[in-house]
Amino acid sequence: MAVYLCHERPDLYAHDADVVATRPGAVVLSRSAFHPGGGGQVADIGAIEWAGGVVAVTGVEVDPDDPDRWWHLLADDTVTPTGAVQVTVDADHRLRVASLHTISHVLNAFVFEEFSGALVTGAQINGDGTGRMDFDLPDVDNDRIRALEAPLNEVIDRGLAVTPIYVDMRQADEVDGLVRSMSVAPPPTPDGRLRVIDIEGLDRQACGGTHLSNTAESGRVRIAKIENKGRHNRRVRFALAD
Ligand SMILES: [Zn+2]
């Protein structure tokens, strides 16, 4: 996996590209600022405009045989963009997902700290401003998890810098808790580096998703629901407040 364009240029929401492959309802582009999703995070959405019109992009499907080949899924499978195109990433959708994703790191850090190294067993960040994380948390009073809502919002109020850094894989093994999640760690770059998201003074976590550059960019969040999933798993549902 190369470094994603959306990781190199997180503020790039519109650019030119060429269509390099087509199939009914999907195209591959020469370059794309879309995030392809993965690790529980939904892909970016947006639009492709070409000489023949404009069509919405509803998501991205990474070719299982070639992770560099991203099929941009089209809302209308009767049209086929060709040639030179203008690509637009939906900035509101990106912000909602990046906000909840960044806040999920904060929640992960708090749970890890509060409950003696409890691990994430699953995560999902949706485009509608909702998400969930599953934690391996036996024998915990749900009110203690619910009580994390206030400190989560304090982190948003404090405006902590969120910075992607790249660390050597061997170095990563030596940092306890860096690859804490069981499911959202991205593959390393071709030169063996791991992308790590640093939240100023609070958390470092390997991750390939989209994030804010400062926690203050997020709206307020609420912990919507906590469900018990089996003896060990707690599902924490959270959402951006209206
Ligand atoms: Zn992340």
Side-chain angles (χ1 to χ4, degrees), residues 181-194:
S181 156
M182 295 179 189
S183 63
V184 297
T189 62
D191 58 357
R193 292 178 309 152
L194 200 60

Side-chain angles (χ1 to χ4, degrees), residues 48-166:
I48 292 174
E49 188 173 359
W50 78 109
V54 58
V55 63
V57 176
T58 58
V60 177
E61 180 190 304
V62 177
D63 191 316
D65 298 323
D66 181 356
D68 291 331
R69 197 170 166 86
W70 298 355
W71 290 100
H72 294 70
L73 306 176
L74 309 177
D76 180 352
D77 63 9
T78 67
V79 299
T80 306
T82 52
V85 298
Q86 180 74 20
V87 180
T88 312
V89 176
D90 185 318
D92 292 337
H93 177 274
R94 168 74 69 81
L95 176 63
R96 280 194 300 275
V97 171
S99 294
L100 279 180
H101 194 142
T102 302
I103 296 310
S104 78
H105 283 234
V106 179
L107 177 63
N108 187 347
F110 284 161
V111 167
F112 189 76
E113 189 180 275
E114 178 86 10
F115 303 106
S116 328
L119 291 176
V120 177
T121 54
Q124 192 177 317
I125 307 294
N126 306 313
D128 64 356
T130 68
R132 65 166 170 81
M133 292 188 91
D134 296 340
F135 294 98
D136 183 4
L137 272 179
D139 308 321
V140 164
D141 183 347
N142 285 345
D143 284 341
R144 282 180 66 198
I145 304 173
R146 216 166 274 125
L148 296 174
E149 182 179 290
L152 279 183
N153 283 299
E154 276 166 30
V155 166
I156 293 169
D157 292 342
R158 284 167 62 198
L160 303 181
V162 182
T163 313
I165 54 176
Y166 286 85

